[in-house]
Amino acid sequence: MGKLTDSVDDVLNTAVTDGVVPGAVAVITGSEGLRCESVAGRVRIDKDAPVRADTIFRTASMTKALTSVGALQLIERGRLSLTDEVASIVPGYGELAVLEGYDGDRPRLRPAARQATILDLLRHTSGHGYWFSNVDLLRYLEMTGTPDPFTGRRGMFSAPLVADPGTRWEYGISTDWLGQVIEAITDQPLDSYLAEHVFGPLGMTDTTFFPNTDQRSRLMPIHDRTAAGGLSVSEIDLPVEPEFAAGGHGAYSTARDYARFMTALLRDGELDGERLLRAETVELAFTDHLDGMALPDKTSTAVPALTNDMGILPFRQGFGLAFQVVHEDIPGMRQAGTGFWAGLFNSYYWIDRRAGIAGALFTQVLPFFDAAVQRVLAEVELAAYAEDAPGRA
């Protein structure tokens, strides 16, 4: 791993020294396997225990790729289709209304103009939103007592749509619903299905929706960015005993485990003799499916404790079946066709199949889209594509 690891070590150690993160793990992998595993800092800002390679992280929305691959497997096997309506698979889904706004203090609801499909769930055009980025939906949850996704309660599925399916890209609980689709088709809990068909075959032994005692002992706490720019241990956390495995945000993993998942996708769906997906399905997943719909240039926060305002890189982009996709090369960094996403606790990944490079940065800091962590991510990525790094195109 050599020089690349030394470069990434320097980046992470500086981030820890400067108080950007309490600790972090970065991994860079290629089609031949792990190229860099860098570990720095402490698990808690107020204690001395170091971050290790086997530290467990809440992957948050990095879970979405895992669940989406599970659904793509079912499509390959003919048990599911992109054109299937969700309501034809999950009882009650067709009763969800669209929240248009409010008449005074009364929510204004109406039937959806059409039903969402599996494609809509995968590309986030189903009309579902998130309470932390949609003020109307946040108000609805507060007024009605509907639980938000982080409560781990099934009642979250009663939240209304915020747009008609197929009309715009809106980030929300689509992949949680996709998990419910997988459960309905396979008659298995989502965690069991993914353990059997994704985590197990790839040797992801520390990836789970329900951490055991040992895994919880290795879990990094969530930290908050203070007003002064420092860090403190957060009171925010995911529930210890959720009512279901949340396909959109509920998985826990190590950086090393997630690197194996990324490596399999770099290798067109195969790793160590285990085939996760066919090559043509992987290609489909990294293909833009927005059909002319635009990604928002900026998303404003509705819950500042959870996320900052979010923007996108000034490059042409789209969205595939699980991943945001960049359509042009970024100098010294990811190339056209790269799929990428992130988790709310400021963890990030990219998968560049053209260059044969994938990478991820794991930490546990709120609010999301932290500018300082973003700079660390950029430095890690630049190191991965440096001239002396393997795989440079």
Side-chain angles (χ1 to χ4, degrees), residues 67-84 89 117-123 178 181-182 185-186 193 276-278 280-282 284-285 289 321:
T67 302
S68 297
V69 163
L72 291 171
Q73 290 176 331
L74 296 175
I75 290 172
E76 282 190 349
R77 296 166 192 156
R79 303 183 68 184
L80 185 64
S81 167
L82 290 176
T83 58
D84 286 343
I89 302 166
T117 64
I118 300 304
L119 174 61
D120 287 318
L121 293 184
L122 283 162
R123 67 182 183 177
L178 191 64
V181 168
I182 292 172
I185 289 174
T186 65
Y193 175 84
L276 193 67
L277 292 171
R278 298 172 190 154
E280 56 267 31
T281 305
V282 175
L284 188 70
H289 289 271
L321 305 180

Side-chain angles (χ1 to χ4, degrees), residues 9 11 31-33 151 155 181 194 243 250 291-292 298 304 371 379 387:
D9 283 349
V11 171
S31 58
E32 76 285 358
T151 64
V181 168
L194 293 180
E243 294 178 355
D291 294 331
K298 180 180 178 180
E379 290 173 5
E387 289 295 335

Side-chain angles (χ1 to χ4, degrees), residues 17-148:
T17 300
D18 292 348
V20 175
V21 294
V25 181
V27 286
I28 298 167
T29 187
S31 58
E32 76 285 358
L34 196 63
R35 294 176 178 170
C36 167
E37 183 177 52
S38 181
V39 179
R42 294 173 286 173
V43 174
R44 291 177 62 107
I45 196 68
D46 57 352
K47 294 188 178 179
D48 293 331
V51 175
R52 307 185 314 189
D54 66 351
T55 294
I56 302 285
F57 298 90
R58 302 159 193 79
T59 67
S61 285
M62 290 169 70
T63 304
K64 288 178 168 65
L66 306 173
T67 302
S68 297
V69 163
L72 291 171
Q73 290 176 331
L74 296 175
I75 290 172
E76 282 190 349
R77 296 166 192 156
R79 303 183 68 184
L80 185 64
S81 167
L82 290 176
T83 58
D84 286 343
E85 291 187 350
V86 182
S88 70
I89 302 166
V90 182
Y93 185 87
E95 299 172 11
L96 293 177
V98 177
L99 176 64
E100 283 193 313
Y102 292 85
D103 294 322
D105 289 331
R106 188 178 66 185
R108 189 168 65 252
L109 300 165
R110 63 165 174 79
R114 76 158 172 85
Q115 284 296 308
T117 64
I118 300 304
L119 174 61
D120 287 318
L121 293 184
L122 283 162
R123 67 182 183 177
H124 294 285
T125 58
S126 62
H128 290 292
Y130 267 134
W131 80 109
F132 56 71
S133 56
N134 188 292
V135 292
D136 282 345
L137 186 57
L138 174 64
R139 184 180 177 189
Y140 181 90
L141 300 191
E142 291 174 341
M143 289 177 64
T144 63
T146 302
D148 69 60

Side-chain angles (χ1 to χ4, degrees), residues 57-58 62 341-343 345-349 361-364 368:
F57 298 90
R58 302 159 193 79
M62 290 169 70
W341 204 238
F345 307 117
N346 276 289
S347 294
Y348 302 84
Y349 73 89
L361 173 67
F362 282 84
T363 191
Q364 305 279 259
F368 178 65

Side-chain angles (χ1 to χ4, degrees), residues 134-201:
N134 188 292
V135 292
D136 282 345
L137 186 57
L138 174 64
R139 184 180 177 189
Y140 181 90
L141 300 191
E142 291 174 341
M143 289 177 64
T144 63
T146 302
D148 69 60
F150 275 13
T151 64
R153 293 163 54 194
R154 286 191 175 274
M156 61 160 276
F157 289 110
S158 66
L161 307 176
V162 295
D164 281 312
T167 60
R168 74 175 192 235
W169 189 92
E170 175 87 22
Y171 193 46
I173 63 170
S174 292
T175 317
D176 291 303
W177 274 108
L178 191 64
Q180 298 300 292
V181 168
I182 292 172
E183 291 191 348
I185 289 174
T186 65
D187 199 27
Q188 282 182 269
L190 177 65
D191 56 303
S192 296
Y193 175 84
L194 293 180
E196 180 180 349
H197 296 280
V198 179
F199 309 156

